[in-house]
Amino acid sequence: MSTDRLTVVETALQQINEIATLPEIARAVMAAADNPETSADDIEKLVSSDAVLAARVLKVVNSSFYGMPGEVGSIHQAVVMLGLNAVKNIAIAASLGKLFRGTSIHESFDARELWQHSTAVACASRMLAKQVGVDPEQAFLCGMLHKVGFVVAMQFAPEQLGRVIDRLFEPSAPPLLSIEAELLGATHEEFGRAFCAQWQFPKILQEAIGSHHDPSGLSGETRTLAAIICVSNFLSDAAGVGFIGSSSGEMPPPSMLEELGVSDADIELIVAELPAAIKLAGHLVS
């Protein structure tokens, strides 16, 4: 990132400090879940200390999203059945959802539609991660976060973001990242990477979110995760869920599918199952 773009990103994060701080309960759950010495009892105590989070965890564990049998009445049992990473995602989703409740800044862009898009990408990423053989909960979280840079831009420079949306829907428009760099001074990937660093998310998430439109500069697990988000972005747009703009409903490049080791049939199945998956995720992301 150039010095000028870094300055824009740093200025944006300083100016929106009120939304750029992870709520205390979510931060505590995230830190505990990422600590290998944490037990289910430790997570239970944290979740039980927040009545809203406790209710949400019970609602999710008794939904069909994680394929649980239902009728779970205790937080301890819910934590054991869901796993630490799933509980972490529930806590973070509750915090993220609040960020996407901003007012509309453009007739073709609404923060709630952006959250719907993020939810769709998260669900597609979770399904795709299972196909690829990587952590589905990490992929789900990355999908939820991948467009958080838009929220930063919406708070920092709403008028300029409105012009970005105008340009995006013009005939023969250049790529989204090019428009953003020109009109905002930085891209939603760069804003998102910095936001995730401020929320102290793992480096792999920061880098995957910072390169989800083009993972070619990454390597190893980070590249795989970013490729999953990239493909899921296409699939969400193809399914017509929420805000659409970055891929205009096109399908992902065959080379990326080949790199992930998934077939056209795998992709068609995910697209077919995506609406139901989004509906099941409602208790987690609402």
Side-chain angles (χ1 to χ4, degrees):
M1 193 188 313
S2 68
T3 302
D4 289 344
R5 285 162 79 150
L6 181 60
T7 299
V8 170
V9 170
E10 290 177 344
T11 301
L13 266 294
Q14 290 170 0
Q15 290 190 12
I16 63 164
N17 190 58
E18 68 275 10
I19 74 161
T21 302
L22 181 64
E24 183 178 351
I25 184 61
R27 183 185 297 276
V29 171
M30 185 174 74
D34 292 339
N35 184 345
E37 296 183 1
T38 296
S39 67
D41 289 339
D42 297 326
I43 296 292
E44 177 192 359
K45 291 177 183 177
L46 284 173
V47 172
S48 298
S49 70
D50 186 287
V52 174
L53 178 58
R56 182 179 289 254
V57 166
L58 288 176
K59 183 177 288 186
V60 171
V61 77
N62 284 297
S63 72
S64 301
F65 185 69
Y66 286 102
M68 302 298 179
E71 298 183 5
V72 177
S74 75
I75 297 299
H76 181 81
Q77 187 181 4
V79 170
V80 171
M81 295 179 71
L82 289 171
L84 303 189
N85 285 334
V87 174
K88 176 180 72 175
N89 283 354
I90 295 168
I92 293 171
S95 303
L96 282 175
K98 295 176 183 178
L99 303 185
F100 287 81
R101 294 177 184 169
T103 57
S104 175
I105 63 168
H106 191 280
E107 61 182 9
S108 299
F109 178 83
D110 184 279
R112 289 169 296 182
E113 291 185 350
L114 188 64
W115 183 233
Q116 291 169 0
H117 166 80
S118 298
T119 300
V121 171
C123 290
S125 297
R126 187 170 182 264
M127 290 189 285
L128 188 55
K130 290 180 179 179
Q131 291 275 1
V132 175
V134 301
D135 182 359
E137 294 306 320
Q138 184 178 63
F140 185 88
L141 177 58
C142 197
M144 284 198 299
L145 287 163
H146 83 289
K147 282 292 191 287
V148 74
F150 261 97
V151 177
V152 175
M154 187 170 61
Q155 297 287 331
F156 170 63
E159 292 184 6
Q160 292 93 320
L161 182 59
R163 292 199 290 272
V164 169
I165 304 302
D166 281 332
R167 285 281 303 279
L168 185 62
F169 288 98
E170 290 177 356
S172 304
L176 172 60
L177 298 185
S178 298
I179 300 173
E180 290 176 332
E182 176 188 345
L183 298 179
L184 293 173
T187 70
H188 74 275
E189 286 186 328
E190 292 164 338
F191 287 130
R193 180 194 289 117
F195 184 95
C196 290
Q198 187 152 318
W199 273 28
Q200 299 180 350
F201 286 108
K203 193 73 172 179
I204 185 173
L205 290 183
Q206 296 175 33
E207 295 304 316
I209 287 162
S211 298
H212 67 267
H213 279 274
D214 180 12
S216 60
L218 304 176
S219 61
E221 294 180 2
T222 307
R223 176 167 175 151
T224 300
L225 182 58
I228 287 172
I229 303 306
C230 182
V231 170
S232 297
N233 209 32
F234 279 97
L235 301 186
S236 172
D237 286 359
V241 181
F243 173 73
I244 299 174
S246 57
S247 66
S248 301
E250 301 171 0
M251 295 304 286
S255 59
M256 193 165 294
L257 300 184
E258 183 178 351
E259 180 176 331
L260 289 174
V262 294
S263 66
D264 290 339
D266 294 327
I267 294 301
E268 290 173 4
L269 182 61
I270 290 175
V271 172
E273 294 180 348
L274 188 55
I278 296 168
K279 186 175 181 179
L280 290 176
H283 290 310
L284 195 155
V285 302
S286 61

